[in-house]
Amino acid sequence: MNILIILAEVSIVIFVFLLLNWLINKLFKVFNKTSIVKSENRSIKTLRRNITGLLLLSCLVACILIVGANGYLIYRGENLQQYTFSLIKRIPSGFWVTLGIGIVKSIGTLIIAAIALKFLKYWLKVASTRAKNLEKNTADDESIDAFFTALYHRISGAIWLWAVILSAQFLKLPATVTEYLYIALRIYLIIAVGLLILKAVAAIVDSLDALSIRYSNPDNLLRFYDRLRHLIPFLKRCLEFVIYVCMATLVIQQVQLMANIAAFGPRIIKITGIIFISRVLFEVVYLFVEEVLFKDQNLTDIQRSRRLTLVPLFRSFLQYLVYFSAAISILYTVDIDPTPILAGAGIVGIAVGLGAQTLINDIVCGFFILFENYYLVGDYIEAGKVEEKVVEGIVEAIELRTTRIRHPNGQLQIIRNGDIGSITNYSKQYIFAVVEVGVPYDSNLTHVYKVIEEVGQQLKADYPDVLEGTQVDGVESLGKSNLLLRTLTKVKPGKHLQIQRVLRKIFTDALLREGIVIPVRAESAEG
């Protein structure tokens, strides 16, 4: 009989351990489904193992104490059955009635919670199917499924926590336990609602994105959406950050020791809003400027080049202006007066300006290049000081300090505006494609001139970049074995290199067809 009593007491301890371990595992499963702790999955598993180990150690110590205490009583000659019954009789009978009723109510509460979750899962599945049918053309089924799955997990976690709180009340546990459980429930609900809002926002943004693409056309304002669509990920990140800040603020308010920190939450949200609005304002204004400048389809090449030159400069000025205004607004948000900072920055700027004469020179030269129209974006130029290396190519960008030039071989050349030196612009009105042709001394120059001019007329008909047919300028020089003829072909600005290559091939083919052999230059033969 003594052994049975000891086994019964040990069994009760083991049952309590298994019940607590089940509740803890259930709680960790609920939190593992939240996106906040997924990134810390390894740490959560470690914490769970430590808690389980602590419970197991406590259970083992309790069992050893029970066996030891009962062994000591047996050693003293006590009757365990009578001793145990006498202890039980000392407990008021009302306690056992209350405990039994509490256990029955707790079990009933858990059963009702499980049944409610079954119905909840079914109806949420129905709602998810209907939502996907309503939005079947928006290609966002994954977002809808993710939202309803998250909704189920959040509600199920809240139901289980509420069931645990009711069980604690039914079992007449200390009021402190119930109070902390209520705090845990409020924190969980804050996190759960916040995560649900995140899923809902993602689903709404994805749906609006798909609908905007679907219904956009050149006749409505949605035609600009494709150019602003790159802001969608930024919008999602800002909304996600704002929701997380709101969640953290509400959670901190539940803990009295840290409640004062919650005052920073609204300020952080305002700063996030200022940053997002600044970015959107910059993109919208830049888009509006581009729309106004390039709305006219009948722009000349010069007008288009000039506007392409001004747009990047305007973008730079707008970017600095918007971000400077955003920085001032952020300082006001955190209760910092920007006036002393700006005054100090002005003094520092004057000091830096005195020592940065090269920078100022570059900026001033950049203004003169723009306003005196030396060259524009798209022009083919040669620039640089005579005694230094000269750069040439197509102008890709004119900035306040530098000019970016793309060489015909592909390399990007960046030259400071202050070092631009002399400029040769091949893209003003027209340019001559100059090609030199060598012919033997005994050639009939009249016939050669005629062949070259016929080639030039055919070239003008085939190539729209040619403005006038090829003309022979005359004999350029007298070589040791040939005459060097100079030809001029009037072409559009910047097209001379391409036409020169075409002309060399056509001249060679045409002269060979006429039996005129182009001699090898003496210089080349000697080399």
Side-chain angles (χ1 to χ4, degrees), residues 241-434:
F241 182 74
V242 167
I243 292 172
Y244 279 134
V245 171
C246 291
M247 290 163 52
T249 302
L250 293 175
V251 168
I252 290 173
Q253 288 177 349
Q254 307 303 316
V255 183
Q256 295 298 326
L257 296 176
M258 300 185 298
N260 295 331
I261 303 177
F264 293 100
R267 294 184 180 182
I268 297 175
I269 294 173
K270 289 180 181 178
I271 292 173
T272 305
I274 291 171
I275 294 173
F276 176 74
I277 292 173
S278 301
R279 176 75 181 277
V280 173
L281 180 64
F282 168 71
E283 295 291 343
V284 170
V285 174
Y286 179 66
L287 178 62
F288 174 76
V289 170
E290 278 194 333
E291 180 70 12
V292 171
L293 290 178
F294 297 101
K295 187 175 182 180
D296 187 3
Q297 300 295 328
N298 299 321
L299 295 174
T300 63
D301 292 340
I302 295 177
Q303 290 175 326
R304 182 172 292 276
S305 297
R306 188 161 186 80
R307 296 185 184 191
L308 284 173
T309 303
L310 294 175
V311 164
L313 288 173
F314 178 81
R315 182 182 178 92
S316 298
F317 277 119
L318 178 64
Q319 185 174 9
Y320 289 130
L321 177 62
V322 170
Y323 290 158
F324 178 77
S325 302
I328 297 298
S329 301
I330 290 173
L331 289 176
Y332 276 118
T333 301
V334 296
D335 295 333
I336 297 177
D337 186 6
T339 305
I341 298 176
L342 294 176
I347 296 173
V348 173
I350 293 173
V352 172
L354 293 175
Q357 297 180 7
T358 303
L359 174 63
I360 297 173
N361 181 47
D362 292 338
I363 295 175
V364 171
C365 291
F367 275 110
F368 278 110
I369 289 170
L370 289 171
F371 289 108
E372 295 192 10
N373 199 22
Y374 293 154
Y375 53 82
L376 301 173
V377 171
D379 287 358
Y380 189 97
I381 67 170
E382 285 184 1
K385 299 177 180 178
V386 177
E387 64 274 10
E388 299 178 0
K389 182 180 179 181
V390 177
V391 299
E392 66 172 307
I394 298 174
V395 179
E396 285 196 351
I398 304 173
E399 300 172 348
L400 287 180
R401 291 190 58 250
T402 61
T403 296
R404 299 174 182 268
I405 302 173
R406 181 72 64 178
H407 193 273
N409 294 336
Q411 62 266 34
L412 180 64
Q413 305 165 107
I414 302 174
I415 183 170
R416 290 175 38 233
N417 292 330
D419 291 339
I420 204 71
S422 59
I423 302 168
T424 302
N425 195 330
Y426 294 91
S427 300
K428 293 297 184 183
Q429 298 178 351
Y430 66 89
I431 190 172
F432 286 109
V434 180

Side-chain angles (χ1 to χ4, degrees), residues 54-67:
L54 181 62
L55 285 176
L56 181 60
L57 179 63
S58 301
C59 176
L60 183 61
V61 171
C63 292
I64 292 174
L65 290 176
I66 289 173
V67 173

Side-chain angles (χ1 to χ4, degrees), residues 23-74:
L23 289 174
I24 291 172
N25 287 338
K26 192 69 177 178
L27 183 63
F28 273 101
K29 285 181 180 179
V30 170
F31 279 99
N32 276 334
K33 293 174 182 177
T34 62
S35 60
I36 292 179
V37 299
K38 280 184 178 178
S39 59
E40 302 293 336
N41 195 24
R42 183 177 299 178
S43 301
I44 295 297
K45 287 182 178 179
T46 302
L47 178 61
R48 177 181 172 183
R49 286 196 298 268
N50 292 337
I51 294 176
T52 302
L54 181 62
L55 285 176
L56 181 60
L57 179 63
S58 301
C59 176
L60 183 61
V61 171
C63 292
I64 292 174
L65 290 176
I66 289 173
V67 173
N70 286 311
Y72 176 72
L73 291 174
I74 293 174

Side-chain angles (χ1 to χ4, degrees), residues 123-263:
W123 287 112
L124 287 180
K125 186 176 180 180
V126 172
S128 175
T129 303
R130 292 186 177 181
K132 286 187 286 186
N133 289 334
L134 289 174
E135 301 291 341
K136 60 184 178 180
N137 294 324
T138 60
D140 61 344
D141 289 353
E142 293 183 1
S143 298
I144 294 175
D145 286 334
F147 171 73
F148 280 99
T149 302
L151 179 61
Y152 172 73
H153 291 317
R154 307 299 178 264
I155 296 178
S156 63
I159 290 175
W160 283 119
L161 277 175
W162 186 256
V164 170
I165 291 174
L166 291 179
S167 299
Q169 292 178 342
F170 293 150
L171 295 173
K172 303 298 182 180
L173 294 180
T176 305
V177 175
T178 305
E179 181 182 355
Y180 282 114
L181 285 175
Y182 270 117
I183 293 174
L185 178 60
R186 288 197 296 270
I187 293 175
Y188 176 80
L189 288 176
I190 291 170
I191 296 175
V193 172
L195 295 177
L196 282 176
I197 293 175
L198 278 177
K199 296 293 183 181
V201 167
I204 292 171
V205 171
D206 290 340
S207 299
L208 293 177
D209 180 38
L211 288 172
S212 299
I213 295 174
R214 178 184 177 189
Y215 292 108
S216 63
N217 61 69
D219 298 327
N220 57 31
L221 289 176
L222 289 177
R223 68 181 183 275
F224 300 115
Y225 178 73
D226 188 57
R227 299 178 62 183
L228 297 174
R229 192 165 179 252
H230 64 280
L231 293 173
I232 294 297
F234 182 61
L235 171 63
K236 286 184 176 180
R237 289 195 298 271
C238 289
L239 291 175
E240 183 177 354
F241 182 74
V242 167
I243 292 172
Y244 279 134
V245 171
C246 291
M247 290 163 52
T249 302
L250 293 175
V251 168
I252 290 173
Q253 288 177 349
Q254 307 303 316
V255 183
Q256 295 298 326
L257 296 176
M258 300 185 298
N260 295 331
I261 303 177

